[in-house]
Amino acid sequence: MDLDRLRSFVVLAEERHFGRAAERLRIAQPALSRQLQVLEREAGTPLVLRSTRSFELTEAGDLLVERARQLLDAVGRTEQDLRLLAQGRMGTSSVGFVGTATYDLLPRVARLAHTELPGLDLHVHGELLAPALVQGLLDRTYDVAVTRPVDPGRGVRTTLLRRERLVAVLPTHHRLAGRERLTLPELAEETFVMHPSARASSLTEVVLAACSDAGFTPPGVVEVSETSTLVVSVAAGLGVAVVPQPVRTLSLEGVRYVSLRGAPTIDLCVAVRADDARPATRRVVELIGRSVAQRR
Amino acid sequence: MDLDRLRSFVVLAEERHFGRAAERLRIAQPALSRQLQVLEREAGTPLVLRSTRSFELTEAGDLLVERARQLLDAVGRTEQDLRLLAQGRMGTSSVGFVGTATYDLLPRVARLAHTELPGLDLHVHGELLAPALVQGLLDRTYDVAVTRPVDPGRGVRTTLLRRERLVAVLPTHHRLAGRERLTLPELAEETFVMHPSARASSLTEVVLAACSDAGFTPPGVVEVSETSTLVVSVAAGLGVAVVPQPVRTLSLEGVRYVSLRGAPTIDLCVAVRADDARPATRRVVELIGRSVAQRR
DNA sequence: TAAAAATACTCCATAGGTATTTTAT
DNA sequence: ATAAAATACCTATGGAGTATTTTTA
């Protein structure tokens, strides 16, 4: 049984006339006659009782029209679903965000995906650390990671999303909180609130390296886990912090963000499994790129 | 989308190996490779991640295998149903029996149809008169009529089933009831139980004609509608009757059937609409033919 | 290096087109 | 007599086969 012939048969049953049906099918009338003959040979019974002035479907013809419609519908739906899948507009994708991107990028990505890829079942996870993200990518917990640069070669493909300038976070009552900008050495005597270095926070590494470059080591350090907690801790007066600029979206009572002159930067990347060619993954990566470009 | 390619794809997904799948499909390996390439081009996305030593379906591939199985199943069922319909093993057929065939042929036909054509929805109707049957055929109340000969040319096609000898029906206590056989003139003085002549019973016509040929007219006539009532009436002593031999299957307390020497005969036919080419009709006619041949 | 898939090339079957015949009203 | 379907005949495209190359584990 051939789908094209079934299509022809359905049109023929609708038109009840070989000439008109052939015209609609954009084939010549004899071709349609032959198609029906083939169908009837396959069915083993006439499907249409036809003469020059009459046209009637047999029982078998009735049955076949109905079934053909159902079949062709099912084929159409399958083709449609394949197309959606091929465009990454259907399926599932799990995205993990490194801590500092959780409050800035994650909601934008979620919103954009909701409107642009309604068929995609997108799972987002925030407040993660770079090593956990890489591990999560490899063990398929995540399909996409918005993370700090990772050493390549471990089956992960990485693209730079943006370069983030670091800014200081000070309690409102801090003596430097009114300043337009300051330099890292001015914070040499402060207690720093940071992510635990044991848990391999890229941000902590970069900040400590920057301090070291600036000629000092923070005299005191308070360790907290999440970025949100970090900002809250500064508000509570536990110390100061240095975070990437986009964390500013997390504006909090009792906290001031102050630019750092000659500030170091930290890169934000999107990473995927090197062997992942899923359209959904491509689509999500592309959408994350646009979320980053999106100025707001 | 082509059904043959879908078939190939399902087999390929099962075998997970082009060579083996091609073998099962009885085509060469390159042909299968190309079929998959066409499918992937149509789908717009890879369906199989393949290398010399590995084979893995993509999401789209998974989807397509599942859908393809469903589609091919549906196609198979449709082909099967068409085949059944073509063989008259599926569908509906309505059969009407003339009165005297009701107790003899009708049950045999019903039983045979039940075992041989279980898919056919057979409706049987008994105790009918020839004119009603012809009318019923034409207005599509019946598809097949087991009836007396009808004048042709009215859109009805008729085939002789058998020639039935007429026999006498006598009450057990009748003076002639003990005889092996008798002749029609011996019944010249009897009251006859018959179907109403007004309702155009072929049997009544034949019997009256036979009496007339034998040189007498029944002095008294009792009219009853059904064959069963007719036999019951004889048992009740209302008179004698002349019926086709097969009515003997209707054996009743108080009744004796006696052969008639040189008895007239009456033909039993099967009739269908001349334009009815339905396989179910053909099948039922054929089955009725065999029911008649069936000696029991 | 060996097994497996992909490509190159040839051939044929099938589906379509045009011209014409047959058929039924 | 005429409209419509069927047939005859030709052509071309697509799918299959064989031989071969490319790839990767």
Side-chain angles (χ1 to χ4, degrees):
Chain A
M1 209 180 277
D2 177 80
L3 292 176
D4 285 333
R5 276 195 283 265
L6 289 185
R7 254 179 280 272
S8 297
F9 183 55
V10 169
V11 171
L12 178 62
E14 279 166 13
E15 294 292 338
R16 304 176 61 80
H17 187 284
F18 282 73
R20 285 198 300 277
E23 199 175 347
R24 252 183 72 188
L25 290 163
R26 303 170 170 287
I27 60 176
Q29 169 265 317
L32 181 57
S33 284
R34 286 185 306 247
Q35 285 194 10
L36 183 65
Q37 286 164 16
V38 172
L39 274 182
E40 290 184 322
R41 187 151 35 77
E42 286 176 349
T45 183
L47 299 171
V48 176
L49 301 175
R50 49 206 186 274
S51 74
T52 47
R53 325 263 163 188
S54 75
F55 185 102
E56 198 190 353
L57 289 181
T58 62
E59 284 181 296
D62 270 329
L63 178 89
L64 189 59
V65 177
E66 190 185 314
R67 301 294 186 86
R69 286 212 179 91
Q70 293 171 0
L71 280 170
L72 294 170
D73 272 8
V75 169
R77 280 195 302 274
T78 298
E79 285 172 339
Q80 169 72 354
D81 288 348
L82 278 180
R83 218 170 299 129
L84 289 178
L85 219 53
Q87 297 174 348
R89 297 183 176 281
M90 195 189 178
T92 310
S93 194
S94 191
V95 189
F97 291 82
V98 76
T100 47
T102 303
Y103 305 95
D104 161 46
L105 263 184
L106 184 150
R108 281 198 250 165
V109 169
R111 197 171 335 110
L112 207 58
H114 185 71
T115 58
E116 290 198 7
L117 306 173
L120 192 75
D121 187 14
L122 190 74
H123 295 249
V124 292
H125 309 262
E127 286 291 5
L128 299 161
L129 291 163
L133 278 167
V134 173
Q135 187 51 42
L137 273 186
L138 296 175
D139 67 19
R140 301 181 162 257
T141 305
Y142 310 118
D143 299 305
V144 181
V146 174
T147 184
R148 301 302 166 190
V150 291
D151 40 315
R154 274 211 298 155
V156 167
R157 215 154 26 82
T158 282
T159 317
L160 180 67
L161 275 176
R162 66 183 173 199
R163 181 149 289 176
E164 303 175 341
R165 296 179 63 84
L166 296 185
V167 299
V169 197
L170 306 175
T172 324
H173 57 70
H174 193 279
R175 66 188 162 89
L176 299 172
R179 295 271 291 280
E180 264 307 303
R181 52 182 53 231
L182 41 79
T183 61
L184 201 50
E186 293 184 271
L187 299 174
E189 306 301 324
E190 302 291 335
T191 294
F192 273 63
V193 186
M194 313 185 104
H195 292 312
S197 49
R199 281 175 58 202
S201 158
S202 312
L203 177 59
T204 300
E205 283 173 20
V206 168
V207 171
L208 288 179
C211 292
S212 170
D213 286 354
F216 72 96
T217 304
V221 168
V222 175
E223 298 191 333
V224 301
S225 292
E226 293 87 25
T227 303
S228 57
T229 316
L230 188 147
V231 178
V232 168
S233 300
V234 171
L238 294 190
V240 303
V242 172
V243 299
Q245 151 122 22
V247 175
R248 283 188 144 158
T249 45
L250 197 58
S251 66
L252 221 73
E253 191 76 23
V255 148
R256 280 287 317 265
Y257 292 91
V258 181
S259 302
L260 285 173
R261 169 175 293 277
T265 58
I266 184 167
D267 289 346
L268 189 69
C269 302
V270 63
V272 295
R273 277 186 297 284
D275 65 358
D276 184 356
R278 296 171 59 218
T281 303
R282 270 191 281 113
R283 195 109 204 167
V284 169
V285 166
E286 180 270 344
L287 186 140
I288 290 173
R290 279 189 292 124
S291 295
V292 168
Q294 188 177 96
R295 272 290 133 240
R296 26 143 270 140
Chain B
M1 208 180 281
D2 177 80
L3 291 177
D4 285 333
R5 277 196 282 267
L6 289 186
R7 253 178 280 272
S8 296
F9 183 55
V10 170
V11 171
L12 179 62
E14 279 167 11
E15 293 293 338
R16 306 176 60 80
H17 187 285
F18 283 73
R20 283 197 300 276
E23 199 175 344
R24 252 182 72 187
L25 291 162
R26 301 167 172 286
I27 59 175
Q29 168 266 317
L32 182 56
S33 284
R34 286 185 309 248
Q35 287 195 6
L36 184 64
Q37 287 164 16
V38 172
L39 274 182
E40 290 184 322
R41 185 149 38 74
E42 287 176 350
T45 181
L47 299 171
V48 176
L49 302 174
R50 50 208 186 272
S51 74
T52 45
R53 327 262 163 189
S54 75
F55 185 102
E56 199 189 355
L57 289 182
T58 64
E59 286 180 295
D62 270 330
L63 178 88
L64 188 60
V65 176
E66 191 184 313
R67 301 295 186 86
R69 286 213 180 91
Q70 293 170 1
L71 281 170
L72 295 171
D73 271 8
V75 168
R77 278 194 301 275
T78 298
E79 285 172 339
Q80 170 70 357
D81 288 349
L82 279 180
R83 219 168 300 131
L84 289 179
L85 220 53
Q87 297 175 350
R89 299 183 175 280
M90 196 187 176
T92 310
S93 194
S94 193
V95 188
F97 291 81
V98 75
T100 45
T102 303
Y103 304 94
D104 160 45
L105 262 184
L106 185 150
R108 281 198 248 166
V109 169
R111 198 171 335 113
L112 206 57
H114 185 71
T115 59
E116 289 197 8
L117 306 173
L120 192 76
D121 188 13
L122 189 76
H123 297 249
V124 292
H125 309 262
E127 286 291 4
L128 299 160
L129 291 163
L133 278 167
V134 172
Q135 187 50 43
L137 271 186
L138 294 175
D139 67 19
R140 299 182 163 256
T141 305
Y142 309 119
D143 300 304
V144 180
V146 174
T147 183
R148 299 302 164 192
V150 292
D151 40 314
R154 272 210 299 156
V156 167
R157 212 152 31 79
T158 282
T159 316
L160 179 66
L161 276 176
R162 66 181 175 200
R163 182 148 288 174
E164 304 174 342
R165 297 178 64 83
L166 297 185
V167 299
V169 197
L170 307 175
T172 324
H173 58 72
H174 193 280
R175 64 183 164 90
L176 298 171
R179 295 271 293 278
E180 264 308 301
R181 52 183 52 228
L182 39 81
T183 61
L184 201 51
E186 292 183 88
L187 300 175
E189 306 302 323
E190 303 289 334
T191 295
F192 272 63
V193 185
M194 313 187 106
H195 293 313
S197 49
R199 281 172 60 201
S201 159
S202 313
L203 177 59
T204 299
E205 284 173 20
V206 168
V207 170
L208 289 179
C211 292
S212 169
D213 285 354
F216 72 97
T217 304
V221 167
V222 174
E223 297 192 335
V224 301
S225 291
E226 293 89 24
T227 303
S228 56
T229 315
L230 188 147
V231 177
V232 168
S233 301
V234 171
L238 295 190
V240 303
V242 171
V243 299
Q245 150 123 22
V247 175
R248 285 188 143 161
T249 46
L250 198 57
S251 65
L252 218 73
E253 191 76 25
V255 146
R256 278 289 316 262
Y257 293 92
V258 180
S259 303
L260 285 171
R261 169 174 292 277
T265 57
I266 183 166
D267 287 346
L268 189 68
C269 302
V270 63
V272 296
R273 279 186 297 283
D275 64 357
D276 184 355
R278 295 171 59 217
T281 303
R282 269 191 282 114
R283 195 108 204 166
V284 169
V285 167
E286 180 269 342
L287 186 139
I288 290 173
R290 278 189 292 124
S291 295
V292 168
Q294 190 178 98
R295 273 287 135 242
R296 25 145 264 134

